[in-house]
Amino acid sequence: MPVLKYYGPLCDLTGCKSDYTAATSLQEARNFIRQKYGEETLRMARGCTVIVNDKNYNHLRQKKPRFKDEDTIHFFPPLAGG
Amino acid sequence: MELPRYLWIDLENQTAHEYPIPRDYWEKYLGGKSLAARLLLDHMSPELGAFHPENLVIINTGPLVGTGAPCSSRFNVSGKNALTGGIASSNCGGNFGLKLRQAGFEGLIISGKAESPVHILLDNGKIHFQPAQELWGLETDTTQKKLPDGFGHLVIGPAGENGVLYSSIFSQERVAARCGLGAILGSKRLKAISARGDRKIRPAHPDKFRGLQKKWVKVLLENPMTGESLPRFGTMGFIAKAGVLNILPVKNFSQKHFSDYESISGEYYAEKFLEKNYGCPTCPIRCGRRQIIDGKDRKGPEYETVGLFGSNLLNSDLELISQWNTLADRLGLDTITLGATLGVAMELKEKGLADFGIGFGDFSGVETLIKDIAFMRGKGKELAQGSRWLEEKYGAEGIAPHSKGMEYAAYDPATTKSLGLGYATANRGACHLNGGYMVFLEGLGPLEVEGSTLKAKATFTVLMQNLMEAISITGNCLFTSLALLPPFIYRLDQSGSLIRFLNRLFARSAPLIAFFLNYPHFLRVNLSLVPYSLAVKYATGLKMNLGRLLEIGERSFNIERQYNMRAGINSKGDELSQRAIHRGNPLHRFLPYYYKIRGWDDNGIPLEKKKKKLEV
């Protein structure tokens, strides 16, 4: 099962750092987040950079990437560096 | 507004006189590192060794310092770079910059070498030289506690006194860390400077300035980067994402991924250690973190320190990282070069070339070694020379993560390729900030250069370098640049078609950006999203717009380049370690584009046309 990982203020809304899900696409992963945590969490998740394993979702070659069981999908809200 | 007041201080004779800044210098260079580089080129021979008594150190401010503009308490220190032999500039928060201007001075030019340790006191326009024998040998925090209340202080620690090539300068708990300027002050036996005064810094257009100031604070507080992330997670907020994207340095920049990134992340720090956050004077962001270490309230580590002391050494113990950070701060060491040098030492042990009593996964000797470095004792004496020296001494070519002799920050140039170009071309050596902070477009922000051509990436690197230079010169904190993108961009669906479209548009804007880089006078605008030019205009009364300010940034970059060339650092210095090249940084394909966009020849030398245009 793919694992969804949450960072920064998104963890405040989910109350946890990760979830296992049967989702096989970003749309399904977001549906999972909405169903489990509600609209506000979904709004923040939409504003997150999504990284699949170590690749930005937007850079993946497939038009609508499918998640595999071993994939980790990271949700990063805006986080500053130094 | 009156011309900046600079004081020339002769340490040998313990005298001082005002040094008049010509009006055209002020208009062309403004202040900070730019004006300092111009003055160094005029008065300091680039051929002299780092610790030659005739070298100068310039400590100065920018036009926004003390005006009440947000995040503008910073000061700059420029001089000879102890690590590279070229130019040094290092920027610092804390309260010294503010107090220096209140004491009546925009800058200090320090020459000569004192016979014995000295402490300079600047009190309302007057200067006093005080013996500092009893301060010599004290750590940075203890030194500041011994100095008089009500002043802003700038101090060095034992590392600076002992000539460690990467020793730093402190104001409160903020650091002018890079380039070994602490050692340059130490060689002059200047332990500390204190300043205070009641001079009021009045903007040339007070009403307009106050209006802008209010709007600017609002922008900073409403932006998710500067209003939410930095106050909550500090600069460490980026650790986890950098870990996932393979940006963190791993095992002396030799490996791609650090699987334990979560245990050194900003989130973990906030959960386990964070007591409260704090900020420099005039800063609404308050990115500083505080924690309890050994029962005492201490400053927490920054992103760079965690990367270099953590993943770079295969160390996932955040408590240990914080302890080393505190120790390095107290001794007055730059944690970036220190972490990188420790990494090289560990790799030398692994290769069987040298044994400094530490290794990847074997940290029991690190604390003692850090102390030995600061006091130049035993094996620490060798590590005090930095990573390039170690690499050469032990014949381990290509493993030291440096450019021009100064070490990379905590972004692996094999992943952040444009930042690698920035490291290679930054005048003070491998610096992420002077290098243009391209990680903003390579993983940090919603806009990115992924998918752009090398030429486009080189164009963005030049733009960002000029912009970082310009912001620094004003006296403003570079973190305010994290608020340059409006909040609505962060609220967009980050995987949606609109953000993809914006990114495609952005990538294709490179030719337009190249045009404005060449002809900045066409940018006769002041944008509220980029408030620096407007703030300088209202503060100084100078004719200022975005184009002019970017041109000042470009001039600054070129004048520093000129100083380096005279010091013998030519295009061969525009280099990365062999390891970074082998691991995929296309530096040598980047450079021809970069030089051309900069208006330099194939050897990286500014063309006459460019020099004439910039009047340098």
Side-chain angles (χ1 to χ4, degrees), chain A:
Chain A
M1 263 185 166
V3 60
L4 309 183
K5 289 185 108 171
Y6 314 121
Y7 298 88
L10 190 58
C11 289
D12 298 341
L13 295 184
T14 60
C16 68
K17 289 176 184 169
S18 62
D19 273 316
Y20 284 93
T21 170
T24 59
S25 68
L26 182 59
Q27 188 56 47
E28 286 177 22
R30 285 175 172 173
N31 284 343
F32 168 85
I33 290 171
R34 187 182 54 202
Q35 279 165 16
K36 188 164 181 190
Y37 302 111
E39 286 297 331
E40 193 191 345
T41 311
L42 175 68
R43 244 191 322 275
M44 185 180 277
R46 275 186 197 283
C48 286
T49 305
V50 177
I51 298 170
V52 181
N53 302 319
D54 63 351
K55 293 268 184 300
N56 188 318
Y57 180 85
N58 295 347
H59 305 163
L60 296 175
R61 289 193 177 176
Q62 309 94 305
K63 208 167 181 188
K64 287 194 175 165
R66 308 297 291 177
F67 299 150
K68 294 189 278 296
D69 274 357
E70 64 275 21
D71 281 344
T72 304
I73 295 94
H74 306 268
F75 286 82
F76 282 104
L79 288 164

Side-chain angles (χ1 to χ4, degrees), chain B residues 488-507:
Chain B
F488 86 86
I489 290 197
Y490 295 95
R491 286 196 290 267
L492 294 175
D493 177 348
Q494 296 298 309
S495 303
S497 49
L498 185 53
I499 202 84
R500 288 172 195 238
F501 170 75
L502 283 174
N503 268 313
R504 275 200 298 275
L505 201 66
F506 181 63

Side-chain angles (χ1 to χ4, degrees), chain B residues 69-114:
Chain B
C71 312
S72 58
S73 69
R74 302 190 73 84
F75 65 97
N76 166 72
V77 187
S78 287
K80 193 83 178 172
N81 191 318
L83 282 164
T84 71
I87 197 149
S89 65
S90 201
N91 201 280
C92 188
N95 65 353
F96 180 77
L98 190 65
K99 295 281 187 177
L100 179 65
R101 279 201 90 180
Q102 287 171 348
F105 304 104
E106 273 69 41
L108 309 172
I109 304 168
I110 297 165
S111 68
K113 176 181 176 179

Side-chain angles (χ1 to χ4, degrees), chain B residues 216 219-220 223 225-226 440 479-487 490 529 532:
Chain B
W216 197 353
V219 164
L220 291 170
N223 190 285
M225 287 290 203
T226 50
F440 188 63
F479 287 170
T480 58
S481 67
L482 291 168
L484 288 180
L485 294 180
Y490 295 95
L529 269 177
Y532 311 100

